[in-house]
Amino acid sequence: MSGQDRAIGLDSEAEAGFHDVIIVGAGFAGLFLLYRLRALGLKVQVYEAGSGVGGTWFWNRYPGARCDVESMEYSYSFSSELEQEWQWTERYAAQPEILHYINHVADRFALRDEVQLNTRVLSAGFDPATRRWTVTTDRGDTVQAQFCIMATGSLSASKVPDFKGLSSFKGNWYHTGLWPSDGVDFSGMRVGVVGTGSSGIQAIPKIAEQAAHLTVFQRTAHFSVPALNGPLAPEQEQWFKAHYAERRKMARESPTGVAGFPVPTRSALEVTPEERESAYQHYWDTGGTGFTRAFNDLIVNKDANETAAEFARKNIRKKIHDPVIAELLVPKGHFIGTKRICLDIGYYETFNRDNVTLVDVKSAPITEITETGIRTENAEYELDAIVFATGFDAVTGALSKIDIHIKDGATLAGKWAAGPRMYLGLMTAGFPNLFIINGPGSPSVLSNMMTSLEQHVEWIANCLDFLRSHGMTRIEADLEAENQWVHHVNEVADRTLFPLANSWYIGANIPGKPRVFMPYVGGVGVYRQKCLEVAEADYAGFHMTS
């Protein structure tokens, strides 16, 4: 029996209900995993909770949903033919176009047959005696595999607030991360939007154009910079396609997984005020998230950061007619860039509209949802519909919904009770043959997710190939290697301003969630090199047995 026909390290043909690999999730990561592992001749089964592929981009269909990485960069790099044939229409692609792209990839590479839709994985348990994972689903499936890979996404577990009285509301309520597939018509309605993070900043201008009146409930103002989105010019697309190879290489070696931003070499405090202003203005006028990369110390030095924050505040104030509203929308209390910077298309200008009201729920919090609307500590607002733009239980939220355990032993939830612990953000000690894509301790949400997920998929595929060629059936992260990596991740984060913000990066938006800075802030290029060195050293820090 050839290596192309057998399961990794097994002595017999694949059994009924047995797979080499089970993948949980059919978003960008899950589909690419399927493509790569199938090319190795492995028997793979993918389970997806949604009724279609796409992951985050399947569920987040809210008005205005759009990627904050430029479309030519936010795409697969594994196929040069795909790169050349696909035509993006905008600088920053909207959700429908991204979902169309994902479906095109699924069809072009015939990936659908191994994907079971409308199936939520409930549990995954490893039996040390058989060295197999047993996975159960809400459809009654019970299947086994040698390896289990979680491609559940970093921003896929929607956080629906548990306001008192929510079930009594007589209108319809929605969460941006669980938007109805057929859309929502707010024409003539009084609509309330709770939340002004990335989702809210994108949705609010669109809803305001449609609703009779929109009331925005803001607890925390966020920094948002202009997207300056527009149609992708043919000459720009042609240039990019002609230079894709070098652009991809630059992205993989860059701090954020995005090409085109030179690594800054100067401090914001060593230049003249005029030079500093000119640098900030350049990035502001260019659009996009490059603003915080104008100088090399904006994310590590409070005084330097304040120069960038004040520039942004000054420009935000210019967009809003009412100075009282402007001050509410100006972010205070956190350093710019330590919470995810948002990209907006007309967000601040929306508050100049006569049909939009801003409510500050930091000074007067929401106390309950009533039958007819929202009540705060000092007022009541009658509404026909409510939109919760309240974000996600990020990075670990989707994993926490699955009972991941060792037979008669540890649970992942128990091990991570004080915060997630992983080696390289790929595996966690004590859980053999379990890989996680963009897990805690990897660049993940601080990077272009496409660059990072492709790197993880390639690393895992190469690892499985290595195991097969060396007759190995089991791999597990070493506890000491994990401890050292967790220490390194924390040490690097503590050199920055990131941990000082109450952000979803540390789980601050989820009551009771341990406050641990989850992503690796050392940079995509540095992280990639470390993973390469580990692999070249025959997977140093991992135990492998046959």
Side-chain angles (χ1 to χ4, degrees):
M1 179 170 53
S2 72
Q4 294 297 309
D5 298 323
R6 65 181 177 85
I8 298 174
L10 297 182
D11 296 325
S12 59
E13 293 278 346
E15 311 153 26
F18 180 83
H19 303 275
D20 295 321
V21 182
I22 289 174
I23 298 170
V24 183
F28 273 118
L31 291 179
F32 184 38
L33 263 169
L34 172 58
Y35 173 83
R36 282 292 283 115
L37 300 185
R38 195 173 62 181
L40 293 177
L42 303 180
K43 184 180 179 185
V44 183
Q45 177 64 57
V46 183
Y47 291 110
E48 168 56 48
S51 60
V53 299
T56 294
W57 296 107
F58 174 83
W59 297 105
N60 284 264
R61 312 180 189 95
Y62 60 86
R66 190 178 296 277
C67 188
D68 60 2
V69 176
E70 295 193 29
S71 54
M72 298 294 287
E73 301 253 17
Y74 194 80
S75 57
Y76 285 122
S77 68
F78 70 86
S79 167
S80 58
E81 292 81 5
L82 176 64
E83 287 180 326
Q84 296 301 318
E85 73 190 18
W86 183 263
Q87 291 184 294
W88 294 102
T89 64
E90 295 182 276
R91 179 185 182 186
Y92 295 99
Q95 179 271 339
E97 186 170 17
I98 297 172
L99 188 59
H100 180 40
Y101 173 73
I102 297 173
N103 277 278
H104 169 76
V105 171
D107 292 332
R108 191 191 190 287
F109 298 98
L111 300 175
R112 296 188 189 275
D113 288 348
E114 290 92 347
V115 178
Q116 184 170 311
L117 301 172
N118 298 303
T119 306
R120 185 173 296 278
V121 169
L122 301 178
S123 70
F126 183 77
D127 186 342
T130 63
R131 300 189 175 195
R132 293 183 177 185
W133 282 94
T134 298
V135 171
T136 63
T137 76
D138 61 353
R139 292 179 56 172
D141 305 288
T142 299
V143 294
Q144 292 187 329
Q146 191 171 358
F147 296 89
C148 187
I149 305 179
M150 296 293 170
T152 47
S154 300
L155 299 173
S156 56
S158 298
K159 177 186 176 290
V160 178
D162 57 351
F163 287 122
K164 174 185 174 183
L166 179 58
S167 61
S168 70
F169 182 58
K170 291 185 176 179
N172 291 323
W173 64 266
Y174 311 90
H175 189 284
T176 50
L178 298 168
W179 206 257
S181 58
D182 53 355
V184 181
D185 184 359
F186 291 117
S187 298
M189 291 188 181
R190 298 166 299 177
V191 182
V193 173
V194 179
T196 55
S198 294
S199 302
I201 284 172
Q202 290 182 336
I204 284 166
K206 292 295 185 181
I207 295 174
E209 292 173 359
Q210 193 177 61
H213 193 90
L214 173 63
T215 304
V216 177
F217 298 85
Q218 173 189 271
R219 184 179 62 181
T220 304
H222 287 74
F223 286 101
S224 186
V225 299
L228 299 186
N229 188 47
L232 199 60
E235 59 273 18
Q236 183 181 4
E237 179 189 14
Q238 291 165 10
W239 180 90
F240 213 108
K241 288 183 174 181
H243 295 84
Y244 246 138
E246 61 194 78
R247 297 285 295 189
R248 299 297 197 188
K249 184 177 185 295
M250 290 170 60
R252 292 170 187 136
E253 296 173 354
S254 74
T256 60
V258 176
F261 291 107
V263 177
T265 58
R266 298 185 303 170
S267 162
L269 303 179
E270 70 181 17
V271 300
T272 66
E274 292 76 19
E275 288 176 304
R276 192 165 53 232
E277 182 85 1
S278 176
Y280 290 143
Q281 194 66 52
H282 165 75
Y283 280 103
W284 194 269
D285 293 342
T286 302
T289 56
F291 181 72
T292 54
R293 292 191 284 277
F295 296 99
N296 64 8
D297 55 352
L298 297 185
I299 213 65
V300 296
N301 185 297
K302 294 179 181 180
D303 293 335
N305 187 281
E306 180 58 22
T307 66
E310 190 51 41
F311 178 90
R313 295 187 193 109
K314 176 182 67 176
N315 281 274
I316 290 169
R317 291 186 182 102
K318 290 178 181 178
K319 297 183 178 186
I320 304 155
H321 299 160
D322 187 329
V324 175
I325 298 299
E327 285 310 303
L328 288 176
L329 290 168
V330 165
K332 306 178 184 73
H334 69 274
F335 299 103
I336 188 168
T338 57
K339 294 187 177 185
R340 191 177 185 95
I341 286 189
C342 307
L343 290 187
D344 74 83
I345 300 175
Y347 171 67
Y348 294 111
E349 293 85 347
T350 298
F351 293 92
N352 296 327
R353 296 176 63 107
D354 293 335
N355 71 325
V356 176
T357 300
L358 179 64
V359 176
D360 176 22
V361 295
K362 176 169 282 186
S363 60
I366 294 172
T367 56
E368 66 177 312
I369 309 296
T370 68
E371 291 185 356
T372 57
I374 292 178
R375 181 178 295 143
T376 69
E377 284 186 350
N378 59 12
E380 187 163 346
Y381 301 87
E382 293 191 355
L383 304 168
D384 302 306
I386 301 173
V387 174
F388 294 110
T390 46
F392 304 91
D393 182 353
V395 184
T396 60
L399 294 170
S400 68
K401 296 179 181 295
I402 303 172
D403 174 20
I404 302 172
H405 62 275
I406 305 299
K407 184 179 180 181
D408 302 324
T411 65
L412 187 66
K415 179 183 176 181
W416 287 5
R421 302 182 68 81
M422 295 191 71
Y423 179 39
L424 301 178
L426 280 159
M427 298 193 84
T428 187
F431 291 79
N433 294 3
L434 174 72
F435 294 94
I436 298 173
I437 302 293
N438 285 335
S442 72
S444 63
V445 292
L446 291 181
S447 68
N448 175 359
M449 296 290 280
M450 292 297 291
T451 305
S452 290
L453 73 85
E454 282 196 323
Q455 184 258 332
H456 265 199
V457 169
E458 292 290 355
W459 193 95
I460 292 170
N462 291 338
C463 179
L464 295 187
D465 198 32
F466 178 90
L467 293 172
R468 178 170 62 181
S469 65
H470 287 76
M472 302 293 181
T473 60
R474 172 172 166 156
I475 182 170
E476 179 182 348
D478 175 73
L479 182 59
E480 181 56 30
E482 175 178 286
N483 290 339
Q484 290 177 7
W485 183 251
V486 171
H487 175 75
H488 173 64
V489 170
N490 292 333
E491 185 180 43
V492 174
D494 288 342
R495 296 174 191 162
T496 74
L497 304 175
F498 276 107
L500 302 181
N502 286 323
S503 68
W504 53 259
Y505 294 142
I506 63 169
N509 62 323
I510 305 297
K513 188 170 182 175
R515 299 295 183 91
V516 176
F517 191 76
M518 293 179 284
Y520 177 59
V521 78
V524 168
V526 171
Y527 173 82
R528 185 184 190 90
Q529 182 60 34
K530 172 63 177 177
C531 290
L532 179 62
E533 291 170 359
V534 166
E536 289 178 341
D538 290 343
Y539 298 92
F542 293 93
H543 291 302
M544 292 176 287
T545 55
S546 61

